[in-house]
């Protein structure tokens, strides 16, 4: 059952929310011998691996910034407070350890003590820690963030200003948007223009980015096929 939101605890920014969460977690980490550094900045943004990476978050060590703050980043397509807190807990474990610990024994020992489970690279809270984080989420109040759907943006052809022109090659990426599929294929712009979208072996017609303006169908025999595939 969800705890009532504590409306006196409204955070106006994602950073404030993550900082408050971290401060709440400090005693728990400390009890297990893990000191979370004081100087941390938080973002919900892209990691250095960009939007294509599966990495859910990352932490940059204090030595990486000019003023000795760690930088902790949670990827912007996570928005569920419990998910975000799970990622935060994983990254705070890194922050409390030397960067060279990576996912080795030191990290593993710490993660298991805290209640993180699974493959260490993707270690996330097990039941007990989830329960603790769920309570924390209730106490923190709403996370002022909504999922950034960068995959949707890419595929719908919406342009983000100030991004370098993509798809400079004539090979365009088509993707199956059926839930849980993720099948992608690269196809020459010429084939898209002539024959329409390629098909996922399981789900049929795939979504393709808009054709570059300078690509046109090479012949009129293709128009029937094209209409068929575009639905
Ligand atoms: Zn990690
Ligand atoms: Zn599919």
């Amino acid at each position: 059952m969800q705890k009532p939101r504590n409306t006196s605890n409204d955070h106006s920014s994602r950073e404030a929310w993550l900082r408050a969460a971290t401060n709440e977690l400090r005693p728990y980490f400390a009890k297990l011998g893990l000191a979370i550094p004081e100087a941390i900045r938080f973002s919900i943004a892209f990691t250095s691996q960009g939007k294509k990476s599966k990495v859910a978050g990352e932490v940059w060590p204090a030595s990486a910034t000019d003023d000795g703050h760690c930088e902790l980043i949670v990827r912007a397509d996570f928005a569920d407070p419990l998910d975000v807190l799970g990622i935060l807990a994983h990254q705070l474990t890194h922050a409390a350890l030397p960067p060279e610990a990576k996912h080795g024994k030191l990290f593993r020992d710490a993660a298991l003590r805290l209640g993180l489970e699974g493959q260490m690279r993707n270690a996330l809270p097990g039941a007990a820690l989830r329960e603790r984080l769920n309570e924390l989420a209730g106490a923190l109040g709403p996370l002022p963030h909504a999922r950034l759907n960068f995959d949707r943006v890419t595929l719908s052809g919406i342009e983000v200003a100030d991004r370098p022109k993509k798809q400079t090659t004539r090979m365009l990426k088509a993707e199956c948007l059926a839930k849980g599929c993720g099948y992608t294929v690269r196809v020459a712009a010429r084939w898209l223009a002539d024959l329409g979208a390629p098909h996922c072996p399981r789900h049929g017609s795939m979504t393709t980015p808009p054709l570059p303006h300078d690509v046109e169908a090479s012949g009129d025999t293709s128009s029937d096929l094209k209409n068929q595939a575009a639905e």
Side-chain angles (χ1 to χ4, degrees):
M1 213 171 56
Q2 192 128 28
K3 280 197 164 183
R5 295 273 193 209
N6 181 353
T7 47
S8 67
N9 205 2
D10 271 348
H11 297 286
S12 62
S13 73
R14 295 171 274 212
E15 175 144 29
W17 192 93
L18 289 165
R19 186 182 306 285
T22 298
N23 288 336
E24 292 295 325
L25 288 170
R26 280 182 194 286
Y28 178 61
F29 274 64
K31 210 172 62 188
L32 298 167
L34 292 163
I36 298 173
E38 285 298 326
I40 310 184
R41 288 194 198 89
F42 303 87
S43 323
I44 296 186
F46 291 105
T47 69
S48 60
Q49 301 301 301
K51 67 184 171 58
K52 284 181 181 156
S53 159
K54 295 266 183 271
V55 173
E58 72 188 1
V59 67
W60 288 76
S63 58
T65 61
D66 280 354
D67 65 356
H69 280 67
C70 297
E71 286 283 351
L72 191 154
I73 302 164
V74 175
R75 210 176 67 195
D77 57 331
F78 289 96
D80 180 275
L82 197 50
D83 291 344
V84 171
L85 288 176
I87 297 163
L88 178 70
H90 180 116
Q91 295 307 327
L92 287 174
T93 312
H94 284 305
L97 296 172
E100 59 273 17
K102 300 201 169 173
H103 297 104
K105 184 176 166 12
L106 207 55
F107 180 88
R108 187 185 173 77
D109 289 350
L112 295 179
R113 283 205 304 277
L114 286 163
L116 295 166
E117 290 179 354
Q119 228 192 357
M120 281 302 121
R121 186 165 294 281
N122 307 305
L124 286 174
L129 182 55
R130 269 182 83 84
E131 185 54 42
R132 176 183 291 270
L133 295 179
N134 198 30
E135 262 175 48
L136 175 55
L140 283 170
L143 166 64
H145 170 69
R147 177 180 147 85
L148 177 61
N149 296 296
F150 43 75
D151 46 351
R152 186 193 299 168
V153 168
T154 308
L155 285 166
S156 61
I158 297 170
E159 292 294 335
V160 176
D162 286 330
R163 275 185 68 192
K165 226 173 144 91
K166 54 185 191 302
Q167 304 281 16
T168 49
T169 69
R170 302 280 94 169
M171 296 298 282
L172 301 176
K173 187 167 119 182
E175 184 163 350
C176 177
L177 292 187
K179 203 164 186 226
C181 182
Y183 182 77
T184 59
V185 68
R186 291 200 179 262
V187 58
R190 169 60 60 198
W191 285 120
L192 283 186
D194 282 1
L195 296 175
H199 282 212
C200 166
R202 289 216 178 108
H203 304 105
S205 195
M206 298 169 75
T207 303
T208 55
L211 279 178
H213 296 304
D214 53 343
V215 176
E216 284 166 6
S218 57
D220 35 7
T221 54
S222 65
S223 57
D224 284 350
L225 279 168
K226 198 160 60 175
N227 290 339
Q228 223 176 1
E231 57 186 305

